[in-house]
Amino acid sequence: MDKFWKFAKSTQDDAYKIDFDDSDFVTVAVPHDYAIDGPFAEENDKQFEKIVADGINKPMVHVGRTGGLPITDWAWYRKEFFVDAATKNVFLEFDGIMSNSTVYVNGIKVGGHIYGYTSFCVDATSACNFGATNLVAVSVRPEGHASRWYTGAGIYRNVRLVQKGDAYFPYQAIFVRPTVRGKRAEIDFDINIIAAEEYILEVEICDQSNNIVASQKFISNKAKFSGQIALDNYHLWEVLNAYLYTFTAKLHVKGKNSDTTATKFGIRTIKYDANKGLFINDKYIKLNGVCMHHDLGAIGAAVNISAIRRQLEKLIDIGTNAIRFSHNPPSPEYLDMCDEYGLLTMDEAFDEWELHKLKNSYAKHFKQEAIADMTAMVCRDRNHPSVLMWSIGNEILEQKLIYGWKYAKFFNDICHAHDYTRPTTAGFNNTETAFINGLTAEVDIVGVNYKPHQYDRFHQIYPDAVLYGSETASALSSRGHYYFPVKYPSIAPNAPDLQASSYDLLGRPWSYYPEREFFVQKKYKYLLGEFVWTGFDYLGEPSPYHSDWPSRSSYFGIYDLAGLKKDRAYAYMSAWTNKKFVHVLPHWNWNEGDVIDIHCYTHAHAAELFVNGVSHGIQHKDENDELLSNRLIWTDIVFAPGQIMVVADDGLSTTIKTAEAPAKLRVTAETASIAATGDDFAYFEVDVLDAAGNICPHANTRVVFSVSGGEYVASDAGDATSTRIFAQPYCEAFHGKLIAIAKSSDAGRLTLTASADGLASDSCSIDVVSLEV
Ligand code: GAL
């Protein structure tokens, strides 16, 4: 159900009718985010709210808090679909609609869903005509003052039409639970079955190469069949080395196959201990995790596998092994890919329970929806080996209630009722209070937000609590942007250009530089690890510029919104990987006589700085100092044009030269080829260079794109203050760089050409491969 939806933004209330005139609707494909097309405007979801967690206890004006995009517009989607004559039951499965949706089939209301992040299934049988064309109409009515970040808007995840006979597997029928017993793995399973009579259930397990490695048949008439099937030799699903099996169930009634369903799963064990830490498959592991909101930068919230894959590969590149989906369940595709890459995940249900963070936020619907939404998350995602734990909430205000533990127990029990194989957790920011009010005792693992210096105190006072950093750092930076003099460390100033310095020493009152967390994680083996706020910049929450338009996206990312590495990426790379590299900041284009501090992230223990050939000494990492445990610093270096070179103690070096005026563009592709599917995105990086090939670090050149052999999609440079619509075929470079996205439905070559006034243009071509054999 992905193509040929008719769409319009509209506040009309009669577009559900069959004879409604939709001739002025446009044709779109889903997943579709209608807010990303803009325009950006200060008035879009302008909020007057307090932010208790930020110490803003009186309401204030927030612009750009949800991205400055029109996420509160209302819309309709309509689509015709055919139902086969032999069908007996018709379902529409929605992975997520943002938000407050109502679903009609042939003019009859068949369902709807409030929360934009949970999946749901609508039984459309009674409204359908069989052997005929039917019409589904979906109304989307998001509210303002409802979110702390960009939500996107519309049918932004996948939709499936499911046609079944009399006997069938209902929505999300299978729950698979592998248990490792030495060399043998026992796969317990529950399967829901709708059948009026006795049936044969055939169960099959295929390995990753699609060979059947186990199969069994059962005769039954039960609505829920529970059984077990064993594997004598098996591959473990390991962190960053995944192995996936497929579990297939076939339903036979009266000798005929009535239905088939399948799920992927992996075999792995989880153990955790308040003193010893976390073990996956009996191997000790630290969570080198990042928090991620769901938007995909320039393409918005619409699910796209290639964009998700790109995010994950970039995160793995810096050593990430875990993702926290903050603060809501992700798309099923995101979890599928984490399964594939061997990334551990935290699946989180809510940012609120009954107490409001905003006027129209989830708390408004809590009583009516929360049980169903929590259940929907667990029942949809419990077969994913990547899911390490269920989070029942983030910075929930009920932490402060003396009876807050009752809510925690309630949600913990729901998770365990549907899945007893995984631990529960929550992100506690009022951690002390949450301990006192008993919420922490109701979850299996205690997430601590932003308290690196208190872990050990909590550990001493509550020795049974299993602890980790559910949210850490929240460092702020704009890629390639530096302010002097460098402050060590301090609260981010509200700079007039609405950017943040890339020395990664500045933050909000609760935040801190990355090394502080590295330091304690290394020191205390019992800590399970951390989830950095955030892996990528995201649309919305432009803290600290709450009321300073046009700031409209976050500065917290390790990568910027375009997916380009900030300096901070190298801080994580040195702490989380064994890669050998020398990364030096800032760039070397300043005014004669400026006094500059030079920082270096590297695997090496020590390195020497040379400015125009003159040594400025060797700096050593200092394991006893938080900041210097992971970076080398040379202060008060007087700028003179030329070059800086940092040479590590093993000889590896990096040189940065003073760039001359911009002379040319360089286009490079991030991937060698894409599939000719029309939704496999090719990402190109465009750099503004001087004649000698140095990146021009101050260049904000407008670059114009043209594409042959495909279509241009969007571009971005990671500037949090840009109000250019991402789909415009041009983009201003930010600190000499930007990215452009293109796609193609035709096999052949895709070429992106970038040009700019007065500069030599450049092109880059990649293969577009047909998936058909
Ligand atoms: C946390 C919150 C996140 C985000 C972050 C910014 O307190 O859980 O959603 O707002 O602060 O630092």
Side-chain angles (χ1 to χ4, degrees), residues 172 350 370-381 414 418:
Q172 294 165 355
F350 307 118
I371 298 176
D373 284 326
M374 180 57 102
T375 308
M377 175 180 89
V378 178
C379 291
R380 190 196 71 178
D381 295 342
I414 294 179
H418 296 289

Side-chain angles (χ1 to χ4, degrees), residues 13-26:
D13 52 19
D14 57 348
Y16 66 91
K17 293 183 177 160
I18 298 179
D19 57 2
F20 177 84
D21 177 9
D22 62 10
S23 53
D24 58 347
F25 280 37
V26 294

Side-chain angles (χ1 to χ4, degrees), residues 286-351:
K286 273 274 180 194
L287 297 170
N288 295 335
V290 297
C291 301
M292 290 290 278
H293 272 311
H294 66 300
D295 78 63
L296 297 165
I299 61 160
V303 169
N304 178 276
I305 291 180
S306 50
I308 297 171
R309 194 177 285 288
R310 173 178 186 255
Q311 284 193 337
L312 293 182
E313 288 182 356
K314 285 177 179 277
L315 291 170
I316 291 170
D317 182 45
I318 57 162
T320 305
N321 61 17
I323 310 272
R324 173 193 186 202
F325 298 109
S326 41
H327 303 297
N328 41 259
S331 63
E333 291 79 4
Y334 216 125
L335 280 173
D336 288 345
M337 267 183 273
C338 290
D339 290 347
E340 256 180 55
Y341 283 101
L343 288 161
L344 295 164
T345 66
M346 186 204 301
D347 206 349
E348 186 156 83
F350 307 118
D351 191 45

Side-chain angles (χ1 to χ4, degrees), residues 53 148 327 394-395 449-450 471 474 510 533 538 541 556:
R148 303 194 294 115
H327 303 297
N394 170 62
E395 300 194 347
N449 284 10
Y450 306 109
E471 234 174 273
S474 261
W510 59 93
W533 191 265
Y538 50 95
E541 203 177 30
F556 293 116

Side-chain angles (χ1 to χ4, degrees), residues 335-505:
L335 280 173
D336 288 345
M337 267 183 273
C338 290
D339 290 347
E340 256 180 55
Y341 283 101
L343 288 161
L344 295 164
T345 66
M346 186 204 301
D347 206 349
E348 186 156 83
F350 307 118
D351 191 45
E352 272 181 21
W353 294 340
E354 205 162 0
L355 297 179
H356 285 256
K357 291 183 183 170
L358 298 90
K359 191 168 69 193
N360 292 323
S361 45
Y362 188 77
K364 193 166 148 179
H365 308 287
F366 174 84
K367 278 211 167 80
Q368 191 191 329
E369 303 294 321
I371 298 176
D373 284 326
M374 180 57 102
T375 308
M377 175 180 89
V378 178
C379 291
R380 190 196 71 178
D381 295 342
R382 59 193 172 174
N383 292 330
H384 289 278
S386 59
V387 178
L388 170 69
M389 48 186 161
W390 305 116
S391 166
I392 61 171
N394 170 62
E395 300 194 347
I396 296 292
L397 299 178
E398 280 81 351
Q399 289 166 101
K400 292 190 179 160
L401 302 182
I402 199 147
Y403 55 90
W405 64 272
K406 292 190 181 178
Y407 291 84
K409 175 169 171 33
F410 184 73
F411 287 118
N412 176 74
D413 290 351
I414 294 179
C415 292
H416 285 325
H418 296 289
D419 174 26
Y420 55 81
T421 72
R422 290 179 180 82
T424 55
T425 188
F428 296 109
N429 59 327
N430 298 119
T431 323
E432 188 91 60
T433 319
F435 269 114
I436 292 166
N437 289 337
L439 285 89
T440 52
E442 298 300 337
V443 292
D444 301 311
I445 300 186
V446 178
V448 180
N449 284 10
Y450 306 109
K451 309 228 168 5
H453 291 151
Q454 296 202 47
Y455 291 131
D456 211 43
R457 196 169 66 80
F458 294 143
H459 182 61
Q460 303 304 330
I461 306 175
Y462 306 101
D464 295 334
V466 183
L467 300 171
Y468 72 103
S470 35
E471 234 174 273
T472 61
S474 261
L476 292 165
S477 51
S478 303
R479 176 182 53 77
H481 215 83
Y482 307 93
Y483 298 131
F484 301 101
V486 177
K487 301 220 172 84
Y488 288 88
S490 67
I491 304 306
N494 284 24
D497 60 2
L498 308 185
Q499 302 292 353
S501 184
S502 198
Y503 278 94
D504 290 311
L505 294 162

